[in-house]
Amino acid sequence: VEESINWLRSNEGQLGNLDEPDILALSKLTGIPIPQTLIPPKKKKEVTEDVVNWLRSNNPSASQLDEPTALALANLANLPVPTDLTPAKKEKLVEESINWLRSNEGQLGNLDEPDILALSKLTGIPIPQTLIPPKKKKEVTEDVVNWLRSNNPSASQLDEPTALALANLANLPVPTD
């Protein structure tokens, strides 16, 4: 994290090419707003249905899910989310979510864009890459860089997707271990 911020503060050159999850993660970190309706309602419904079908047929391991994805899964199944998500609670939450989705055809939880994106990434179900208009994407990226140049986010406060987005923004290699 520190290396990414130092690079951003000392370089004006080419920024990394950020995808929508990166933009959303950095927007959340910096508090810079982006449009709330990134995914058109029709596409959101289609992706949600595809995600549910995938989840009903597959067994994602709780240990392989980051916290935002586990929480998105709970939101999809309308399950209450514990305030302190320990590994044991996360495993139980994922198992209960999958079981609920497999045995219920009823009302699914109302997912926001970060939830849809997290579950899309988990399942491999694609969402169009033009969710954020290029002009808005450029504006948000510039605002994020300006915020990062004048603030000092702590690595301990960042979740994994945000830390990876920060490395992508600075064109730094992402550690593989």
Side-chain angles (χ1 to χ4, degrees):
V1 171
E2 190 174 319
E3 184 180 0
S4 297
I5 295 196
N6 288 338
W7 186 93
L8 290 168
R9 287 185 177 147
S10 60
N11 290 283
E12 291 288 331
Q14 180 67 31
L15 297 174
N17 187 19
L18 300 179
D19 59 13
E20 277 70 18
D22 288 347
I23 293 277
L24 290 170
L26 292 172
S27 172
K28 183 177 177 183
L29 167 69
T30 61
I32 295 167
I34 54 176
Q36 292 300 309
T37 55
L38 301 176
I39 303 172
K42 182 179 178 186
K43 187 63 179 172
K44 184 176 176 180
K45 184 177 184 223
E46 291 172 9
V47 170
T48 301
E49 289 170 358
D50 290 346
V51 163
V52 169
N53 289 333
W54 186 94
L55 290 167
R56 286 179 176 153
S57 305
N58 292 278
N59 293 311
S61 168
S63 64
Q64 296 174 327
L65 303 181
D66 59 16
E67 186 172 321
T69 305
L71 297 177
L73 193 54
N75 288 338
L76 180 63
N78 282 315
L79 294 177
V81 178
T83 53
D84 58 333
L85 194 62
T86 63
K89 286 182 181 179
K90 182 171 100 172
E91 186 169 332
K92 183 179 178 191
L93 184 66
V94 169
E95 182 180 326
E96 288 176 354
S97 298
I98 298 294
N99 288 338
W100 187 93
L101 291 169
R102 288 184 178 151
S103 60
N104 290 283
E105 291 288 331
Q107 180 66 34
L108 297 173
N110 187 17
L111 300 179
D112 58 14
E113 278 75 14
D115 287 347
I116 293 272
L117 291 168
L119 292 172
S120 170
K121 191 172 188 178
L122 165 68
T123 62
I125 294 168
I127 296 177
Q129 292 299 309
T130 57
L131 299 177
I132 301 173
K135 182 179 178 184
K136 184 65 179 173
K137 188 175 177 180
K138 183 176 186 223
E139 290 171 12
V140 170
T141 302
E142 289 170 356
D143 290 345
V144 163
V145 169
N146 289 333
W147 185 93
L148 289 168
R149 285 182 175 151
S150 58
N151 291 279
N152 292 311
S154 166
S156 64
Q157 296 172 323
L158 303 181
D159 59 16
E160 184 178 343
T162 305
L164 294 174
L166 195 54
N168 288 340
L169 179 64
N171 276 326
L172 294 175
V174 177
T176 55
D177 45 75

